[in-house]
Amino acid sequence: SSLLLMSGVVVTVGLCRRLARRRLRSRPHLFAFLVEMFSTFQICACTNELSLLGNVEPKPHTALTLTYGFTVLHGLTLAGSTCNPCGTLQPMWGGGTSLRMGGLKVAAQFVAAVLARVFMHFIWSLEMAEPHSGALSQGCSSPMQTTEVQAFCIELLFSVVFQLAVLRAESVNPKYRVHLIALLITMLVYAGGNLTGAIFNPALAFSLHADCFYDKFLSYSLVYWIAPSLGKFFMYLR
């Protein structure tokens, strides 16, 4: 049921992106906002569902296999979208994207994060699959299982490694690049998932753990917003 749900999200987002591309080409700002929102919604919704499958046996092989598979699927179906506020910052700093366009994309990413969370909570309330039972009663299921300083350093390091890999992979054939990036993300999740969740995406972090931001806004904003953004800034200065 979980796989069917995520596949349904991917198909629906694909149809919405295609419709926006056909109807809104003459309105570039609205087109950019909607495409980025649809794309980020797909990643946030699917990752919310994947987060419930982390304890499916055999552990952690099932979770890592699904992470790799859906990362490849996202890469193949969401070409042209960053789905990450940190990824939007680089062209803004480099002058390749206007402040208005960059701001629209970041706003779209956080709107999508909220919509995906609301949507998934509605789906979980229906309890269509076994992992959905009790999912809404968890509250702040904190991914931070280490000190704030260590968590900050881990998310900062992972952001730098990820952004560096993306830059290095630009010259690789696209059909191989998506697998390289998916493999890297899977390795990072394996290495640090039990400590911080290995998210390095501010919008995704908010969608997954909004309750934790409400409870401990300062510490979570430092680890899951400031750290990955700072990592992107370091890459820009290199």
Side-chain angles (χ1 to χ4, degrees), residues 67-233:
T67 298
Y68 175 82
F70 273 90
T71 303
V72 171
L73 185 60
H74 295 325
L76 293 174
T77 59
L78 303 179
S81 299
T82 59
C83 308
N84 187 336
C86 297
T88 307
L89 293 177
Q90 182 178 1
M92 290 175 63
W93 284 330
T97 299
S98 67
L99 182 61
R100 181 182 180 186
M101 181 64 77
L104 277 174
K105 288 185 177 183
V106 171
Q109 290 155 2
F110 277 99
V111 168
V114 174
L115 291 177
R117 182 174 178 81
V118 172
F119 171 75
M120 293 309 299
H121 277 214
F122 169 72
I123 295 296
W124 293 345
S125 69
L126 302 178
E127 298 188 354
M128 296 186 299
E130 183 179 348
H132 298 173
S133 301
L136 297 180
S137 61
Q138 294 180 358
C140 172
S141 54
S142 176
M144 199 187 305
Q145 301 300 315
T146 184
T147 65
E148 292 180 10
V149 174
Q150 290 178 333
F152 180 91
C153 293
I154 290 171
E155 287 293 310
L156 174 63
L157 174 63
F158 283 6
S159 178
V160 171
V161 170
F162 176 71
Q163 300 299 338
L164 181 60
V166 170
L167 290 176
R168 295 297 185 185
E170 287 182 350
S171 59
V172 178
N173 188 308
K175 66 180 181 181
Y176 300 125
R177 183 194 311 153
V178 65
H179 290 279
L180 290 175
I181 297 300
L183 179 61
L184 173 63
I185 291 176
T186 304
M187 292 173 61
L188 293 177
V189 169
Y190 178 72
N194 63 324
L195 297 175
T196 66
I199 303 173
F200 46 91
N201 182 333
L204 178 59
F206 186 72
S207 184
L208 292 173
H209 305 292
D211 291 334
C212 299
F213 280 92
Y214 300 149
D215 294 341
K216 301 177 181 179
F217 177 78
L218 180 58
S219 62
Y220 272 76
S221 60
L222 283 172
V223 172
Y224 295 106
W225 289 355
I226 303 300
S229 300
L230 194 60
K232 189 66 177 181
F233 180 69

